[in-house]
Amino acid sequence: AQKVTQAQTEISVVEKEDVTLDCVYETRDTTYYLFWYKQPPSGELVFLIRRNSFDEQNEISGRYSWNFQKSTSSFNFTITASQVVDSAVYFCALSGKETSGSRLTFGEGTQLTVNP
Amino acid sequence: KAGVTQTPRYLIKTRGQQVTLSCSPISGHRSVSWYQQTPGQGLQFLFEYFSETQRNKGNFPGRFSGRQFSNSRSEMNVSTLELGDSALYLCASSTGGVSTDTQYFGPGTRLTVL
């Protein structure tokens, strides 16, 4: 069965610090997709990135970067120079043929608090 | 393009009642999925609809049901409400509903059962 683990329940940093959110996944699929979503206090899940299992290139988007390592089944997310507006719950998620359709398996989420 | 919309945003019901939640997907999206989010269980998949057919179902009792209309709008119904049904219900839409698709979420409906 598919599983996503986010071991860090809560992280608190001071503004401008770099922070890395960990994500480890399990799946029997050879083709699968990994996602990160941000959930601010308003509740809506905001899509951040999608990565397929064949593309292990790291990606950078502004202050955000993602490190996908298939060998360790990890898909970590780093925020550089964090800002107060980055405070939210961040979810890592997985989809693949094992669960068919576009069904997402989510991790438990990491609550990030960025203090001024 | 307008995002996913959900109505109502907040609901308060009592045990034993039933409730219907509505979701309008992004224009052109044909797949709608529903998720339940609670502090104890996290985000759990309820079901997915594509072209008016339920294509995938999570591990929830039969009290939870849904449907999709020809315009891709979807409704979710919970009958005989229990206290444990209090949750944020999130709807997500995607284009074709395969694992390659990205799901875009609405703001959710927060249901409180008293």
Side-chain angles (χ1 to χ4, degrees), chain A residues 29 31-35 37 39 41-50 89 91 95-97 99-108, chain B residues 4 9-10 31 33 35 37 42-45 48 55-59 88 90 94 97-108 110:
Chain A
D29 288 326
T31 301
Y32 51 89
Y33 296 82
L34 294 161
F35 302 81
Y37 286 88
Q39 187 176 42
S42 60
E44 181 174 349
L45 281 170
V46 177
F47 166 72
L48 295 177
I49 190 172
R50 181 185 79 190
V89 181
F91 290 93
S95 72
K97 285 185 179 178
T99 51
S100 75
S102 54
R103 171 179 180 170
L104 290 169
T105 299
F106 284 91
E108 305 89 338
Chain B
V4 178
R9 293 293 311 279
Y10 302 91
S31 169
S33 297
Y35 293 82
Q37 185 177 23
L43 277 155
Q44 293 187 290
F45 173 80
E48 176 201 359
R55 188 163 62 176
N56 209 341
K57 190 177 189 310
N59 189 25
L88 179 66
L90 291 160
S94 61
V98 295
S99 57
T100 54
D101 289 345
T102 295
Q103 292 191 54
Y104 296 91
F105 285 80
R110 188 165 294 281

Side-chain angles (χ1 to χ4, degrees), chain A residues 40-80:
Chain A
S42 60
E44 181 174 349
L45 281 170
V46 177
F47 166 72
L48 295 177
I49 190 172
R50 181 185 79 190
R51 174 67 70 215
N52 75 57
S53 53
F54 294 106
D55 183 1
E56 291 194 64
Q57 277 192 328
N58 292 332
E59 180 156 340
I60 298 174
S61 176
R63 297 183 297 107
Y64 295 171
S65 63
W66 291 269
N67 184 342
F68 175 32
Q69 292 198 338
K70 211 168 176 178
S71 60
T72 57
S73 297
S74 66
F75 186 42
N76 297 336
F77 173 30
T78 297
I79 302 175
T80 303

Side-chain angles (χ1 to χ4, degrees), chain B residues 1-110:
Chain B
K1 209 180 240 188
V4 178
T5 58
Q6 291 186 245
T7 56
R9 293 293 311 279
Y10 302 91
L11 264 179
I12 299 176
K13 293 286 187 179
T14 56
R15 276 183 301 175
Q17 287 187 309
Q18 75 164 16
V19 67
T20 299
L21 313 181
S22 181
C23 171
S24 292
I26 292 170
S27 177
H29 284 193
R30 295 170 63 194
S31 169
V32 173
S33 297
W34 289 89
Y35 293 82
Q36 181 197 64
Q37 185 177 23
T38 60
Q41 299 298 318
L43 277 155
Q44 293 187 290
F45 173 80
L46 280 156
F47 30 64
E48 176 201 359
Y49 286 86
F50 178 76
S51 291
E52 303 179 63
T53 301
Q54 187 181 87
R55 188 163 62 176
N56 209 341
K57 190 177 189 310
N59 189 25
F60 279 81
R63 300 185 297 106
F64 291 82
S65 63
R67 59 178 176 168
Q68 187 180 34
F69 302 95
S70 58
N71 62 358
S72 294
R73 189 177 71 84
S74 177
E75 286 183 348
M76 186 192 112
N77 185 276
V78 188
S79 62
T80 319
L81 284 166
E82 300 177 0
L83 294 179
D85 297 332
S86 294
L88 179 66
Y89 290 88
L90 291 160
C91 163
S93 76
S94 61
T95 53
V98 295
S99 57
T100 54
D101 289 345
T102 295
Q103 292 191 54
Y104 296 91
F105 285 80
T109 293
R110 188 165 294 281

Side-chain angles (χ1 to χ4, degrees), chain A residues 79-97:
Chain A
I79 302 175
T80 303
S82 59
Q83 300 176 1
V84 173
V85 293
D86 295 327
S87 297
V89 181
Y90 290 86
F91 290 93
C92 180
L94 170 68
S95 72
K97 285 185 179 178

